[in-house]
Amino acid sequence: MCAVTSGSPASIDLCRRLELCPPTLPRQAYHAIVHDGLDLTAGERLIRKVAEASVKSARAAMRATKDLVAVAVVAEPRDLPGLERILKSHALLHSAEGDMYREVIVDAAEREGIPAFHFPSSELRAEPQDALMKAFGAAVGTPWRQEHKDAARAALRALASVPAAARAPRSRAGAP
């Protein structure tokens, strides 16, 4: 998770990994379906259970993040086939799991009343390396990987997409 605050210049407040899936459930639900030999119905139930538990964790993280006004997800648009076909391809298992967690973030944001935006990494990487990204990297320290730079650029774009009036801090502590 990368949190960027508005200002002149913007600053990076937080850059950390979120563990969305509780340890009592398989983090890689699609892999677990294959590994455990679940049928399609049981597999779909497992995916829903993991996704819903992960949405709950994401919502808690969003509530705990001070002054959150937008969420950005870095993702290339893709159309995945049905579950039966996904389960036959190891590469599709990974794609489906990544897609599930990206949608978990968007679902959690929507439930919290926070606008969510998708930005393709290819689009973000086309932007020039500027002084602000270098300053963010210096603030975060190592590692400052491409995925972190993509997240920071996406956060900046999301922040710019929210009208200034909607950037005022608001409390979600009591949200269901």
Side-chain angles (χ1 to χ4, degrees):
M1 179 167 99
C2 178
V4 175
T5 57
S6 60
S8 194
S11 64
I12 193 161
D13 282 353
L14 175 70
C15 193
R16 69 179 171 102
R17 181 179 179 86
L18 288 178
E19 293 297 334
L20 297 174
C21 185
T24 56
L25 293 171
R27 230 178 13 166
Q28 293 183 309
Y30 290 85
H31 280 76
I33 294 167
V34 173
H35 181 267
D36 296 345
L38 300 179
D39 63 33
L40 290 178
T41 302
E44 288 170 346
R45 272 196 310 268
L46 177 63
I47 292 165
R48 281 192 304 273
K49 188 175 183 178
V50 169
E52 193 55 42
S54 297
V55 165
K56 186 177 177 180
S57 296
R59 290 182 74 189
M62 288 176 189
R63 283 188 213 120
T65 303
K66 186 179 175 226
D67 301 337
L68 184 65
V69 297
V71 169
V73 175
V74 178
E76 298 296 331
R78 57 178 70 148
D79 290 321
L80 291 173
L83 181 58
E84 188 171 11
R85 183 148 172 248
I86 289 170
L87 298 176
K88 293 177 182 176
S89 165
H90 193 236
L92 286 175
L93 294 175
H94 286 282
S95 293
E97 285 164 350
D99 190 62
M100 178 186 71
Y101 283 110
R102 285 184 291 274
E103 290 311 310
V104 157
I105 297 294
V106 171
D107 186 10
E110 288 173 354
R111 292 185 194 190
E112 289 297 316
I114 302 165
F117 302 90
H118 283 89
F119 300 105
S121 58
S122 57
E123 191 178 291
L124 297 168
R125 291 176 186 172
E127 295 177 5
Q129 176 77 351
D130 62 5
L132 185 56
M133 279 296 116
K134 289 179 183 173
F136 281 3
V140 170
T142 57
W144 179 240
R145 297 185 184 116
Q146 187 62 52
E147 66 192 70
H148 303 128
K149 294 172 189 174
D150 290 347
R153 282 191 176 102
L156 285 168
R157 279 185 162 196
L159 187 60
S161 299
V162 175
R167 293 184 199 166
R170 56 192 165 135
S171 173
R172 287 174 303 283

